[in-house]
Amino acid sequence: MPSVGRLPCAMMKQIWVATLLLGHLTVSAAEPFLGVTVGYDVDPQRVAPLMRQAGVTTCRLWAAVDYNNRTGVTVHGADVFEQARAFRKLGFRVILLIHNPEPASPDQVKAFFEWAVDHHGRAGGMPLAEAVDAWEILNELNLKEYWTGTPHAYVNDILRPAYEVLSRRSEPVIGGSFTAWQAQADGRMAWADRVERAGVAKAYVDAGYLRWCDFAGLHPYTDSPERMLAVVDAHQSVFGRKGILMTEWNLKTWSDPAAQAKALGSVLPELQRRVAGMCFYRLTRVQGYWGLLEKGAEGWIRSEPFFSAYQQWSKSWTEAP
C-alpha cells in the first residue's frame, strides 16, 4: 500500500476507516495501526524524523476545549489544531481527543463541532476535518478529572450531538475511554478484569454509548500483561462486536524499564488479535512515564529501551497476518 503521505487526506481517511471497520468484524484490521500519544511539548517538524525511524504511523493529540469558544484551541501555548494540521501534512494519521470534563447542552456541543470541522486556522489552512482521521470524544469517563457528569449526560448531551455532526461528514468517532481500575457497585475500587467488574463501562453501554460511536475507547493500564488481556476481554464482552481502539496503551510504570518494555512486547500479539489499533503512551518521557524520546543537549533524542522496543513492536504489528 502507498505510504500515508502520498495519498490525498480524504482518500487516506476512507481507506483507513474502511479497513478498520472491516477489521473489527474479524477482530484484527486489514491495515491496523500502532500509534503514540503526543503532548503539547513538541514541534512536529522536529520530532517527525525520529517518529518515522521508530515506525510511528499515527499520533493522538489532546485538545482541551470550551464548547462556546470560536477562536481556536490553545493549551500550554500550543495551538493543537495547528499541531494536527502539521502532523497530517507530514504524513501521519491524526486522532484528536476533545477534552472538556464539564456537562454541556447538546446545542452547545453540536455548534462546537459544526464550527470545528470547517475550522481553517491560520492563513486559510486545511479544514480540520481533513487534518483529523478520527475524533475521540472525552478521556477516561470513569475519572472525575475528565468527566464530572453521568453516563446518560455523556451519551445524550456530548457523544450523540458530536456523532451526529461528525458522521454526516464521514468523520470516524471514538467513544470516551475507560481505565482498568474502576469503581464497583459497593463503592470500592477494583481491576475491571472480569465482566462483572466492568460495571462502569456497562452503565455507559446501557445509556446508549455504542449507538453513537464507531469504536469504543479503552485504556488498560494494569500491573501485568496477563491482567491487561483480562481487562480487554472483559470489555470486549461488554462492547460486543464494536471495535476497540486503545488510544492509550502502557502498563503501570515499573521500576525496571527494560522489563516493562519486554512485558509490553510479550502481550502485543494477543492484543493485535483483539483490538483495531492502539497508541503507546507516550512519545516524550515525562515524570512517571517512560517515552520514545527524551530531551538531549540539542533537542529530542531517542530514549531507550522504549525507542528500540517500539521499532520492534511496529515491525511485528505491520507484518502480522
Side-chain angles (χ1 to χ4, degrees):
M1 184 174 191
S3 66
V4 173
R6 294 176 185 170
L7 289 173
C9 294
M11 184 183 299
M12 188 61 238
K13 181 181 295 185
Q14 290 171 2
I15 293 172
W16 185 51
V17 175
T19 53
L20 282 175
L21 288 171
L22 174 65
H24 100 80
L25 297 176
T26 58
V27 183
S28 63
E31 190 194 350
F33 72 88
L34 182 64
V36 68
T37 291
V38 179
Y40 314 120
D41 53 347
V42 301
D43 177 342
Q45 291 282 355
R46 292 184 179 275
V47 297
L50 285 168
M51 290 171 66
R52 293 192 188 102
Q53 288 179 30
V56 175
T57 61
T58 302
C59 58
R60 175 196 185 235
L61 308 178
W62 180 299
V65 307
D66 177 347
Y67 296 123
N68 296 314
N69 183 0
R70 300 293 181 271
T71 59
V73 179
T74 302
V75 186
H76 299 302
D79 186 326
V80 182
F81 286 5
E82 289 301 317
Q83 194 183 32
R85 291 186 181 91
F87 274 115
R88 195 66 190 83
K89 289 176 181 177
L90 288 165
F92 296 95
R93 300 165 178 143
V94 174
I95 294 173
L96 184 64
L97 168 72
I98 299 298
H99 165 68
N100 185 324
E102 301 300 326
S105 74
D107 288 343
Q108 287 177 305
V109 175
K110 181 179 179 181
F112 171 82
F113 281 97
E114 288 176 337
W115 165 80
V117 291
D118 288 321
H119 182 270
H120 287 265
R122 303 170 192 159
M126 71 168 68
L128 195 60
E130 291 186 19
V132 175
D133 293 279
W135 303 70
E136 184 178 0
I137 312 303
L138 303 197
N139 185 66
E140 299 181 353
L141 299 171
N142 55 299
L143 301 181
K144 290 297 183 184
E145 61 190 290
Y146 300 123
W147 173 240
T148 61
T150 64
H152 184 274
Y154 169 74
V155 169
N156 292 282
D157 300 343
I158 309 295
L159 183 61
R160 178 175 178 172
Y163 181 83
E164 288 178 338
V165 172
L166 295 170
S167 63
R168 287 199 300 268
R169 300 285 293 267
S170 299
E171 295 289 302
V173 173
I174 306 168
S177 56
F178 304 92
T179 66
W181 186 246
Q182 297 182 13
Q184 304 300 298
D186 60 3
R188 66 187 179 88
M189 299 297 293
W191 293 112
D193 53 4
R194 299 202 301 264
V195 174
E196 62 269 25
R197 292 180 178 174
V200 174
K202 188 175 185 306
Y204 281 82
V205 169
D206 290 345
Y209 172 94
L210 298 176
R211 181 178 179 184
W212 306 109
C213 62
D214 299 300
F215 301 95
L218 185 62
H219 294 172
Y221 292 103
T222 58
D223 55 353
S224 70
E226 296 77 16
R227 197 186 301 275
M228 181 181 289
L229 286 177
V231 168
V232 172
D233 288 343
H235 284 80
Q236 272 194 324
S237 296
V238 173
F239 296 144
R241 291 177 62 79
K242 184 70 71 175
I244 295 174
L245 290 182
M246 290 166 40
T247 52
E248 290 183 22
W249 170 59
N250 209 331
L251 290 161
K252 293 289 186 181
T253 302
W254 295 8
S255 59
D256 183 345
Q260 183 174 339
K262 184 177 180 180
L264 287 167
S266 72
V267 77
L268 196 63
E270 288 299 324
L271 289 175
Q272 187 166 356
R273 285 189 275 271
R274 290 165 164 82
V275 302
M278 57 210 298
C279 290
F280 176 72
Y281 192 87
R282 57 194 306 269
L283 176 65
T284 52
R285 181 175 176 178
V286 294
Q287 185 175 6
Y289 291 96
W290 308 111
L292 306 187
L293 308 179
E294 60 186 74
K295 278 286 191 181
E298 299 181 1
W300 295 106
I301 60 174
R302 297 162 58 138
S303 183
E304 299 295 355
F306 283 95
F307 187 94
S308 294
Y310 191 100
Q311 283 183 312
Q312 293 302 312
W313 301 337
S314 178
K315 187 172 185 294
S316 64
W317 186 279
T318 302
E319 293 178 351

